[in-house]
């Protein structure tokens, strides 16, 4: 009974194989109409499958590769291609099975091991991936593709020195492939070796066409080197080639914001949105720029749009920035609510701790504020403002000897930050040091139309004029008062006094 069943199964399998081979021969005949037939029939199927795959006919390509497996010759390449199809669709487990079968059929196939390693890397098995790469290199010590994949994995795990070593081998063993050179430039960008990265990327751009990724990274390097004109030039080239590179829009938006070109900055965020690039990073960057230019209501709108892009609303930076904008708008309860939410998600969030410190300073809870500021000591981006808050804390606690050095540090880091000038000037006014207050505020006040700053500058000049009666200070104070205009000028009584002093001093 068992033998009869086995016999039937063998006949069925034989019939199926014969049918596939018959079908295979028909397809090979058709393929010869527009291609050269390889000597080994199974290779014709592999080539035809590749031809179909590159044109998007994935099911047809897979069927042909399955047919190729039926041939009695070594068919490890067909199995590899089947694995590639599975890998492309994200089915890494099945892809690994095909690569494993390919290697079992041909123990010299380093390519199968390399691709097997790539799948393991994709599922997070870094150690397993590296073992496969090592095994592949033992078979073929000059396999550039394996070194490239190995280098890419090491970049992902931030092992930059080892990544560099592997990528240099990939360049050495395949001088025609720009990918390892590009990946080397990425490592050098990560490690801050901008000049070397720039040299490689410029070489890649010279030898490839429409390489928008390389152009974007060139723009980024110029941005990091503070060469904004070159950064803008290369970034705009990216968008002429590929208008869906969201990172390039953000880079341009950031550069124009730094250059205080508000209209141009916002324009690039709008262009990204019009092109359908409605991502979390677009809206968060847009919001940051709006906050820089004190458009806090619009910034709040963008922050909520950023949150809407997320499945889970758990990014602490969103709530920290919402806290900032609500506080600037005077909506203190909402500011506190969002600050608390940010700190719940991440107790070490710099902006949330800075916001908490600012709120405590305004409440005159200086010791409490200092505890929050302690958590911000490594915050490079907001260091100047945090120094200013620390200075205000020590002023409030009566440790005046510490205050001026801290305000000076604040201005070193943020020489154009309005809030620092306001806090510093108010402290100097309280100390009666009008000459120093004038020196500190003058340059900033002379180039701004901000009425808060101009009113403060008038107060400094008024007190200085009363102290020494210099005609210049009297006249300059009056000029500032007239510049502000009647509606927003806060010192009408003092202005009358100055006018009287000027009459007395002829």
């Amino acid at each position: 009974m068992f033998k009869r069943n086995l016999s039937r199964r063998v006949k069925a399998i034989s019939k199926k194989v014969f049918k596939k081979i018959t079908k295979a021969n028909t397809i090979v005949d058709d393929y010869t109409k527009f291609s050269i037939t390889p000597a080994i029939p199974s290779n014709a199927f592999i080539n035809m499958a590749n031809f179909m795959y590159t044109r998007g006919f994935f099911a047809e390509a897979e069927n042909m590769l399955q047919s190729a497996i039926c041939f009695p010759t070594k068919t490890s390449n067909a199995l590899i291609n089947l694995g590639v199809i599975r890998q492309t669709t994200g089915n890494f487990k099945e892809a690994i099975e095909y690569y494993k079968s390919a290697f079992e059929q041909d123990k010299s196939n380093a390519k199968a091991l390399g691709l097997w390693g790539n799948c393991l890397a994709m599922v997070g098995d870094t150690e397993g991936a590296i073992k496969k790469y090592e095994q592949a290199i033992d078979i073929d010590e000059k396999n550039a593709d394996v070194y490239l994949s190995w280098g890419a994995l090491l970049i992902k795990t931030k092992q930059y020195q080892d990544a560099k070593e592997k990528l240099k081998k990939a360049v050495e063993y395949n001088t025609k492939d720009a990918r390892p050179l590009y990946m080397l430039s990425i490592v050098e960008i990560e490690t801050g070796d901008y000049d070397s990265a720039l040299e490689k990327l410029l070489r890649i751009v010279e030898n490839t066409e429409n390489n928008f990724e390389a152009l974007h990274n060139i723009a980024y390097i110029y941005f990091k080197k503070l060469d904004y004109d070159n950064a803008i030039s290369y970034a705009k080239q990216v968008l002429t080639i590929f208008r869906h590179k969201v990172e390039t829009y953000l880079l341009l938006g950031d550069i124009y914001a730094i250059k205080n070109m508000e209209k141009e900055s916002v324009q690039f965020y709008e262009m990204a949105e019009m092109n359908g690039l409605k991502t979390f990073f677009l809206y968060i960057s847009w919001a940051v720029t709006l906050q820089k230019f004190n458009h806090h209501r619009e910034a709040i709108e963008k922050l909520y749009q950023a949150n809407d892009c997320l499945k889970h609303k758990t990014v602490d930076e969103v709530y920290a920035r919402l806290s900032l904008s609500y506080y600037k708008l005077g909506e203190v309860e909402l500011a506190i609510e969002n600050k608390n939410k940010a700190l719940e998600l991440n107790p070490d969030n710099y902006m949330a701790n800075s916001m908490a410190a600012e709120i405590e300073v305004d409440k005159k809870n200086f010791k409490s504020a200092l505890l929050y500021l302690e958590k911000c000591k490594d915050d490079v981006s907001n260091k100047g403002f945090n120094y200013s808050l620390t200075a205000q804390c020590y002023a409030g606690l009566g440790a005046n000897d510490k205050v001026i050095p801290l305000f000076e540090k604040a201005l070193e880091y943020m020489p154009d930050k309005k809030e620092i000038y306001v806090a510093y000037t108010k402290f100097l006014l309280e100390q009666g040091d009008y000459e120093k207050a004038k020196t500190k505020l003058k340059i900033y006040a002379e180039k701004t139309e901000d009425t808060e700053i101009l009113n403060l500058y008038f107060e400094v000049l008024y007190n200085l004029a009363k102290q020494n009666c210099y005609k210049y200070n009297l006249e300059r104070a009056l000029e500032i008062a007239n510049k502000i205009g009647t509606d927003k000028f806060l010192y009408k009584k003092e202005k009358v006094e100055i006018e009287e002093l000027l009459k007395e001093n002829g």
Side-chain angles (χ1 to χ4, degrees):
M1 181 73 174
F2 174 75
K3 287 183 178 179
R4 279 205 305 271
N5 287 340
L6 180 61
S7 175
R8 287 196 198 103
R9 286 172 63 197
V10 169
K11 285 180 182 177
I13 291 169
S14 299
K15 187 176 180 181
K16 188 176 181 181
V17 170
F18 178 77
K19 187 177 179 182
K20 283 197 172 189
I21 292 173
T22 305
K23 182 184 176 185
N25 289 333
T26 305
I27 296 171
V28 171
D29 289 341
D30 291 341
Y31 186 42
T32 57
K33 293 176 184 176
F34 55 88
S35 182
I36 298 169
T37 307
I40 302 172
S42 62
N43 285 349
F45 280 78
I46 294 168
N47 292 348
M48 184 61 175
N50 289 340
F51 177 83
M52 299 299 285
Y53 180 77
T54 57
R55 281 151 182 77
F57 299 106
F58 303 122
E60 292 84 347
E62 187 172 348
N63 286 336
M64 288 181 186
L65 291 168
Q66 293 286 2
S67 296
I69 294 171
C70 298
F71 286 94
T73 55
K74 282 187 177 180
T75 54
S76 60
N77 287 338
L79 289 162
I80 284 174
N81 288 357
L82 282 165
V84 169
I85 291 173
R86 287 287 186 269
Q87 187 173 338
T88 304
T89 57
N91 194 335
F92 302 114
K93 189 175 179 181
E94 282 190 31
I96 286 171
E97 289 303 314
Y98 280 118
Y99 298 143
K100 188 177 178 182
S101 297
F103 181 67
E104 285 171 354
Q105 285 199 14
D106 181 3
K107 296 290 185 181
S108 66
N109 199 323
K111 183 179 180 180
L113 289 168
L115 291 167
W116 187 349
N118 292 350
C119 283
L120 291 171
M122 291 299 292
V123 297
D125 184 0
T126 301
E127 189 178 335
I130 289 173
K131 283 180 180 177
K132 291 302 164 195
Y133 296 145
E134 288 172 339
Q135 197 177 347
I137 293 301
D138 285 341
I139 293 167
D140 180 5
E141 65 178 3
K142 295 185 178 181
N143 193 308
D145 286 338
V146 172
Y147 281 119
L148 175 62
S149 298
W150 197 346
L153 177 59
L154 290 167
I155 291 174
K156 186 179 177 184
T157 56
K158 301 188 185 299
Q159 298 176 65
Y160 296 125
Q161 198 53 48
D162 290 340
K164 214 169 184 178
E165 178 192 318
K166 298 296 180 287
L167 292 168
K168 280 180 179 178
K169 286 185 179 291
V171 172
E172 180 185 347
Y173 297 135
N174 188 353
T175 56
K176 294 180 181 178
D177 190 352
R179 292 176 302 164
L181 200 63
Y182 176 77
M183 296 299 283
L184 261 176
S185 74
I186 297 300
V187 173
E188 288 170 342
I189 289 171
E190 289 293 333
T191 56
D193 192 357
Y194 297 126
D195 290 334
S196 183
L198 184 59
E199 181 189 345
K200 289 178 178 63
L201 289 164
L202 289 170
R203 201 190 322 165
I204 289 168
V205 167
E206 283 175 14
N207 292 287
T208 57
E209 289 185 8
N210 297 330
N211 197 324
F212 63 88
E213 292 288 359
L215 287 166
H216 172 82
N217 282 304
I218 290 170
Y220 177 75
I221 289 171
Y222 279 123
F223 166 72
K224 295 299 285 185
K225 288 164 71 73
L226 308 183
D227 184 348
Y228 298 131
D229 290 339
N230 262 321
I232 289 168
S233 174
Y234 278 96
K236 285 183 175 178
Q237 286 182 57
V238 173
L239 297 182
T240 62
I241 298 166
F242 184 64
R243 61 189 177 90
H244 291 99
K245 181 76 174 168
V246 66
E247 296 89 348
T248 306
Y249 289 104
L250 304 190
L251 182 61
L252 284 163
D254 289 349
I255 292 169
Y256 280 116
I258 289 167
K259 289 166 70 72
N260 290 315
M261 298 171 71
E262 179 186 345
K263 182 180 176 183
E264 289 80 359
S265 176
V266 171
Q267 182 182 41
F268 280 99
Y269 300 128
E270 290 173 341
M271 286 169 65
E273 187 178 52
M274 282 189 291
N275 281 305
L277 305 172
K278 300 176 181 181
T279 69
F280 170 81
F281 293 107
L282 169 66
Y283 290 117
I284 200 84
S285 296
W286 198 339
V288 170
T289 292
L290 289 167
Q291 287 179 327
K292 174 184 169 69
F293 294 108
N294 293 311
H295 302 306
H296 290 286
R297 189 62 66 191
E298 294 94 325
I300 288 168
E301 179 189 330
K302 298 306 171 192
L303 288 165
Y304 280 117
Q305 284 181 277
N307 231 10
D308 287 343
C309 294
L310 302 173
K311 185 176 180 181
H312 304 291
K313 320 297 185 190
T314 54
V315 176
D316 48 287
E317 191 65 18
V318 172
Y319 299 103
R321 290 203 164 273
L322 279 169
S323 176
L324 170 65
S325 283
Y326 278 125
Y327 201 67
K328 295 298 180 186
L329 290 168
E331 299 178 34
V332 178
E333 292 304 315
L334 282 170
I336 292 170
E337 179 185 319
N338 281 282
K339 175 264 295 181
N340 290 341
K341 178 70 172 174
L343 290 175
E344 282 172 23
L345 292 167
N346 179 10
D348 296 319
N349 182 287
Y350 290 144
M351 177 163 282
N353 278 289
S354 183
M355 281 306 308
E358 187 174 0
I359 291 166
E360 292 301 296
V361 166
D362 289 345
K363 291 179 178 178
K364 302 193 183 304
N365 297 329
F366 303 116
K367 288 183 180 179
S368 174
L370 285 171
L371 293 175
Y372 285 113
L373 288 166
E374 181 64 24
K375 290 195 171 186
C376 303
K377 62 183 179 182
D378 295 325
D379 179 12
V380 176
S381 63
N382 207 32
K383 209 170 190 70
F385 185 64
N386 291 332
Y387 269 125
S388 175
L389 288 174
T390 306
Q392 292 170 65
C393 287
Y394 283 118
L397 293 168
N400 289 347
D401 58 315
K402 296 182 179 180
V403 176
I404 288 178
L406 285 165
F407 273 128
E408 291 296 330
K409 273 282 185 188
L411 288 176
E412 279 179 33
Y413 282 96
M414 291 181 166
D416 294 315
K417 186 77 170 173
K418 171 190 163 181
E419 288 87 346
I420 298 173
Y421 283 99
V422 170
Y424 195 0
T425 304
K426 285 181 177 179
F427 172 76
L428 292 170
L429 283 168
E430 287 171 8
Q431 300 302 304
D433 195 345
Y434 306 127
E435 192 62 56
K436 191 175 186 71
K438 178 188 172 184
T439 303
K440 287 297 161 189
L441 194 58
K442 181 179 179 182
I443 295 173
Y444 188 78
E446 297 288 349
K447 63 181 182 182
T448 186
E449 300 293 321
D450 187 283
T451 54
E452 183 181 7
I453 291 290
L454 292 173
N455 271 298
L456 197 58
Y457 192 38
F458 173 87
E459 186 181 352
V460 170
L461 291 169
Y462 164 77
N463 280 287
L464 197 57
K466 283 193 71 177
Q467 190 179 67
N468 56 35
C469 285
Y470 286 160
K471 188 176 181 182
Y472 171 79
N473 289 329
L474 292 167
E475 289 174 341
R476 190 71 189 110
L478 195 57
E479 285 174 20
I480 294 295
N482 291 330
K483 183 178 180 179
I484 295 169
T486 307
D487 293 342
K488 295 181 180 179
F489 183 61
L490 303 177
Y491 301 97
K492 295 179 174 61
K493 182 183 173 184
E494 288 81 356
K495 182 185 176 185
V496 172
E497 279 186 59
I498 285 176
E499 288 169 339
E500 291 298 324
L501 284 168
L502 278 169
K503 286 177 185 176
E504 289 172 14
N505 286 276

